[in-house]
Amino acid sequence: MPYRRYSDKVPSYELCHVAYYVADNPQGKTALFREEDCSGKEDERRERARQLELTDLAVGLEITYYDAEKDYEEWPPNRDDQSLLPCRVRLALTLRDAPQYERAFITTVALPMRGACEDAQTRRTQTRTSGLPASGR
């Protein structure tokens, strides 16, 4: 999903923190949410974030980050190093479209702004991604 600001009051150059997660909605159903905070205030981020429910069909969201050597469940793996981006990110979204039927949608993307990573899987992913026609990206 392309990044889109939900508030016209935020300047287009402002750095925003965006989070996606699965939690219960007010009706008690599991849902996928998106939160955005452009306040720049680390301490108040969760209280000031704008929350949007994307779907109530989501039952799971797994995000895996990869550097050139291994995978991580959180990024950055070292809280002191906020400058580096991962080489690849794997997203697995599980949706339930019937009471007993779940379907997982999985994709792995290489981050071209990260630069070349010294990992064969990343180079394959970067090559596949960069070879797509513009309409397929």
Side-chain angles (χ1 to χ4, degrees):
M1 165 186 305
Y3 177 74
R4 178 175 175 263
R5 278 182 213 291
Y6 290 102
S7 172
D8 294 333
K9 297 176 185 171
V10 177
S12 61
Y13 58 84
E14 185 70 36
L15 177 64
C16 297
H17 293 269
V18 178
Y20 292 88
Y21 59 93
V22 173
D24 288 342
N25 66 13
Q27 293 78 32
K29 293 181 78 174
T30 305
L32 176 65
F33 290 91
R34 178 185 194 274
E35 276 188 0
E36 175 183 290
D37 174 45
C38 300
S39 70
K41 295 178 173 52
E42 184 77 30
D43 298 340
E44 302 172 9
R45 181 164 300 135
R46 294 298 295 211
E47 294 83 25
R48 299 184 63 146
R50 298 175 62 94
Q51 186 181 64
L52 175 69
E53 183 178 331
L54 300 175
T55 180
D56 63 2
L57 298 177
V59 293
L61 175 66
E62 294 179 23
I63 303 174
T64 307
Y65 306 92
Y66 299 88
D67 65 9
E69 299 169 8
K70 62 183 197 173
D71 61 312
Y72 303 90
E73 290 185 11
E74 293 184 9
W75 195 267
N78 177 356
R79 294 272 181 216
D80 298 332
D81 187 7
Q82 300 286 323
S83 61
L84 288 179
L85 293 173
C87 296
R88 293 178 287 129
V89 178
R90 179 182 181 269
L91 302 167
L93 175 64
T94 304
L95 302 178
R96 179 178 296 143
D97 57 2
Q100 297 298 318
Y101 189 70
E102 293 181 359
R103 185 178 306 178
F105 297 89
I106 302 170
T107 189
T108 301
V109 295
L111 303 181
M113 69 287 275
R114 168 62 163 88
C117 293
E118 299 303 319
D119 174 79
Q121 175 63 35
T122 299
R123 285 193 297 274
R124 280 195 303 276
T125 304
Q126 287 173 336
T127 302
R128 279 195 305 253
T129 302
S130 62
L132 290 175
S135 63
R137 290 187 190 169

